[in-house]
């Protein structure tokens, strides 16, 4: 029996229901603020009435008559006195307001469990922040922790979420090893499984510890509001950057702080290296970069060493030069990329000598994306062929002047297969997935000021552009749209960003990829290309 579709209000009206709930909540809060005095007075009248009822119930029956007569006499006197009713009403309202006030006790200090936790932290820091020669140590066994700790906050479970520590001036806070010992100790004593940020103030001898909220993982691939030459690598903490971008998370519009990577002739970090564990999201990052490059009118050349078909959605699309998976095709395409770099440099140089602007085809951005390049190097070595990655030296060294950008994604286990040119010229670095602090430091060149957690969602990691600070990073969800295990909403978002498919070239064979730029060597792809029924073969043309 066929399933009946859900009512439209349950499928398409979620955004309207959410907005309606928000408006109702806002109206209720505003009404509460306006009517707060009346609410307080009503609560006080209820308290006074309850007290009077209790007093009347406690009065013996033989005394209730005289008490009632006395109360009636008082009411009569008040009614006869000038301004008596008005003064009585004011007195009653004042008494009701006093008894109806909020009597919730204000917490002015830590509780017993929180005090015990702060004391344990203080005792654990004593061996690191004290020396025997100090006549009046700030940290001493059995000392007062309130002189060293301030600005403390706790969560519902009683764990520290914010803490300011004042330490002695002789502590070697300028040494990375000393700071790392303190951070590891605080991480262990304050509770594992959370990300902590440590801000060292060497001038003021203070250390600020705070727990970071998790970065949102529901931001899917979408058109980002950026300038030409700007690529959104992901999103970070609000205080990490001085810029926000309007994005849509689910159905809710938000302003999120992005990590912007700038490319082009004036870029200081023209190439990118992304490193991670399997399933950490490096392929997601490359797909996100490719979609943004295609949207800005650039050409994209993809070489996939893993051969898993992660980029099948881009094959045959407008602006995609080729999608190669085999070592032979990778050798041909990377060799073409090297010759294309040289051609652009020569054409630009000749145009400048003649006093003319550079040709249009030399100013069109070209993106070379390599995923799992170490696998291709291993396959080429096993077959006795030259390393395809050797052809990357020319685009890496001269790509900035030729409007060519190289993005390399590799796993930690194959980093030794990367050439020195890759390490030397990829000054923008990204590390995704769980990794040790030393691994992150080796790739980024600096240690993060947060504590990595063993469990991270895909696309979560750290980014550093050149010599800048290390940012926490969450890559926009850009899954393979043909992967049925991915959320349907994220897959649909990627499909909406894909360019139109190109018409197959005449005379093309079956099972190969066509390069839209001229090749310098004639070679056929060894591995069958993606969407082989629609894409013709590789052909060599004169430049």
């Amino acid at each position: 029996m066929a399933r009946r579709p859900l009512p439209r209000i349950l499928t398409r009206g979620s955004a309207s229901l959410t907005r309606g709930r928000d408006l109702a909540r806002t109206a209720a809060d505003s009404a509460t603020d306006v009517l707060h005095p009346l609410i307080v007075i009503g609560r006080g009248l209820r308290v006074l009435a309850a007290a009077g009822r209790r007093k009347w119930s406690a009065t013996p029956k033989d005394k209730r008559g005289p008490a009632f007569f006395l109360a009636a006499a008082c009411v009569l006197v008040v009614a006869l006195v000038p301004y008596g009713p008005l003064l009585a009403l004011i007195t009653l309202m004042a008494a009701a307001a006093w008894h109806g006030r909020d009597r919730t006790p204000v917490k002015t200090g830590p509780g017993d469990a929180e005090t015990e936790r702060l004391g344990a932290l203080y005792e654990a820091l004593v061996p690191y922040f004290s020396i025997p020669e100090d006549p009046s140590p700030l940290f001493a066994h059995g000392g007062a922790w309130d002189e060293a700790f301030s600005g403390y906050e706790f969560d519902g479970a009683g764990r520290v979420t914010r803490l300011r520590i004042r330490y002695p001036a002789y502590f070697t806070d300028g040494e990375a090893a000393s700071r790392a010992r303190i951070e590891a100790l605080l991480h262990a004593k304050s509770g594992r499984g959370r990300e902590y940020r440590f801000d060292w103030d060497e001038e003021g001898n203070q250390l600020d510890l705070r727990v970071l909220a998790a970065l949102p993982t529901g931001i899917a691939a979408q058109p980002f509001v950026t300038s030409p030459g700007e690529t959104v690598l992901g999103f970070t903490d609000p205080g990490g950057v001085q810029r926000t971008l309007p994005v849509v998370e689910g159905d809710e519009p938000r302003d999120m702080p992005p990590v912007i990577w700038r490319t082009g002739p004036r870029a200081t970090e023209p190439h990118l290296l992304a490193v991670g564990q399997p399933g950490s999201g490096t392929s997601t990052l490359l797909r996100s970069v490719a979609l943004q490059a295609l949207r800005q009118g650039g050409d994209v050349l993809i070489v996939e060493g893993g051969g898993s078909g992660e980029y099948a959605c881009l094959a045959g699309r407008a602006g995609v030069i080729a999608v190669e998976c085999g070592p032979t095709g990778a050798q041909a395409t990377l060799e073409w990329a090297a010759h294309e770099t040289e051609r652009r440099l020569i054409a630009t140089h000749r145009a400048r000598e003649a006093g003319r602007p550079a040709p249009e085809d030399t100013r069109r951005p070209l993106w070379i994306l390599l995923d799992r390049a170490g696998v291709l190097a291993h396959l080429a070595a096993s077959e006795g062929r030259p390393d395809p990655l050797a052809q990357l030296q020319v685009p890496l060294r001269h790509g900035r002047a030729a409007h060519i950008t190289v993005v390399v994604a590799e796993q930690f286990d194959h980093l030794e297969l990367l050439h020195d040119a890759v390490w030397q010229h990829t000054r923008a670095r990204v590390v995704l997935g769980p990794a040790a602090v030393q691994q992150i430091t080796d790739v980024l060149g600096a240690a993060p000021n947060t504590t990595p957690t063993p469990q991270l969602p895909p696309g979560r990691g750290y980014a550093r552009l050149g010599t800048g600070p290390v940012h926490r990073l969450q890559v926009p969800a850009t899954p393979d749209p043909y992967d049925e295990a991915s959320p349907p909403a994220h897959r649909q978002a990627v499909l909406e960003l894909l360019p139109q498919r190109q018409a197959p070239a005449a005379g093309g064979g079956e099972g190969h990829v066509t390069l839209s730029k001229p090749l310098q060597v004639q070679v056929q792809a060894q591995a069958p290309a993606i969407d082989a029924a629609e894409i013709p073969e590789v052909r060599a043309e004169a430049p």
Side-chain angles (χ1 to χ4, degrees), residues 232-283:
V232 177
L233 297 180
F235 298 93
T236 184
D237 299 302
V241 294
Q242 301 179 354
R243 176 179 176 181
T244 59
L245 286 182
V247 298
V248 177
E249 182 182 1
D251 294 329
E252 296 291 333
R254 300 182 57 184
D255 288 338
M256 292 296 298
V259 178
I260 298 293
W261 173 41
R262 294 174 176 85
T263 57
R266 291 182 174 86
T268 56
E269 299 86 21
H271 308 296
L272 173 71
L273 173 63
V275 183
Q277 301 288 355
S280 59
T282 53
S283 300

Side-chain angles (χ1 to χ4, degrees), residues 427-473:
R427 301 183 68 249
R429 305 283 179 84
V430 173
V431 176
L432 298 179
V437 176
Q438 188 59 43
Q439 289 179 312
I440 300 175
T441 305
D442 293 340
V443 176
L444 301 182
N449 54 2
T450 62
T451 54
T453 57
Q455 300 295 332
L456 294 176
R460 174 68 177 82
Y462 298 90
R464 189 188 186 204
L465 305 178
T467 58
V470 179
H471 299 286
R472 286 206 309 165
L473 182 72

Side-chain angles (χ1 to χ4, degrees), residues 191-459:
R192 300 185 183 273
R194 302 184 296 175
E195 282 192 273
Y196 296 86
R197 181 182 178 90
F198 300 95
D199 294 323
W200 292 84
D201 181 11
E202 291 88 350
E203 184 178 1
N205 300 321
Q206 290 184 346
L207 168 62
D208 287 337
L209 175 149
R210 59 188 177 95
V211 177
L212 297 176
L215 295 176
T217 58
I219 302 177
Q222 54 192 280
F224 298 115
V225 184
T226 56
S227 302
E230 292 184 344
T231 302
V232 177
L233 297 180
F235 298 93
T236 184
D237 299 302
V241 294
Q242 301 179 354
R243 176 179 176 181
T244 59
L245 286 182
V247 298
V248 177
E249 182 182 1
D251 294 329
E252 296 291 333
R254 300 182 57 184
D255 288 338
M256 292 296 298
V259 178
I260 298 293
W261 173 41
R262 294 174 176 85
T263 57
R266 291 182 174 86
T268 56
E269 299 86 21
H271 308 296
L272 173 71
L273 173 63
V275 183
Q277 301 288 355
S280 59
T282 53
S283 300
T284 296
L285 175 61
L286 261 64
R287 272 191 299 270
S288 176
V289 171
L291 292 176
Q292 295 181 61
L294 292 172
R295 184 173 179 82
Q296 295 180 3
D299 292 330
V300 176
L301 175 63
I302 301 176
V303 177
E304 181 189 1
S308 57
E310 292 280 346
Y311 306 92
C313 59
L314 295 170
R317 302 282 179 175
V320 179
I321 298 177
V323 178
E324 287 294 345
C325 301
T328 305
Q331 177 71 27
T333 53
L334 293 181
E335 187 174 349
W336 169 83
H339 287 293
E340 175 66 11
T341 305
E342 297 171 352
R343 184 194 69 82
R344 291 188 175 203
L345 293 175
I346 294 173
T348 303
H349 180 68
R350 289 176 178 174
R352 290 176 179 173
E353 284 184 341
R356 300 190 306 270
E360 180 65 25
D361 60 343
T362 63
R363 291 185 282 115
R364 183 179 176 87
L366 173 61
W367 294 72
I368 304 174
L369 309 181
L370 291 92
D371 193 0
R372 300 293 307 278
V375 176
L376 295 175
H378 178 74
L379 292 176
S382 63
E383 296 177 0
R385 301 188 179 192
D387 187 0
L389 298 183
Q391 302 294 333
L392 274 181
Q393 297 186 17
V394 176
L396 285 171
R397 291 176 180 176
H398 309 288
R400 181 173 63 175
H403 294 268
I404 296 178
T405 303
V406 179
V407 181
V408 181
E410 191 52 86
Q411 296 181 4
F412 279 105
D413 298 338
H414 300 87
L415 289 180
E416 67 276 1
L417 300 177
L418 296 180
H419 281 245
D420 294 338
V422 176
W423 291 103
Q424 182 179 358
H425 295 283
T426 53
R427 301 183 68 249
R429 305 283 179 84
V430 173
V431 176
L432 298 179
V437 176
Q438 188 59 43
Q439 289 179 312
I440 300 175
T441 305
D442 293 340
V443 176
L444 301 182
N449 54 2
T450 62
T451 54
T453 57
Q455 300 295 332
L456 294 176

Side-chain angles (χ1 to χ4, degrees), residues 34-50:
V34 173
L35 301 177
H36 181 70
L38 296 179
I39 295 174
V40 172
I41 292 175
R43 188 189 307 125
L45 291 175
R46 188 170 62 251
V47 172
L48 292 176

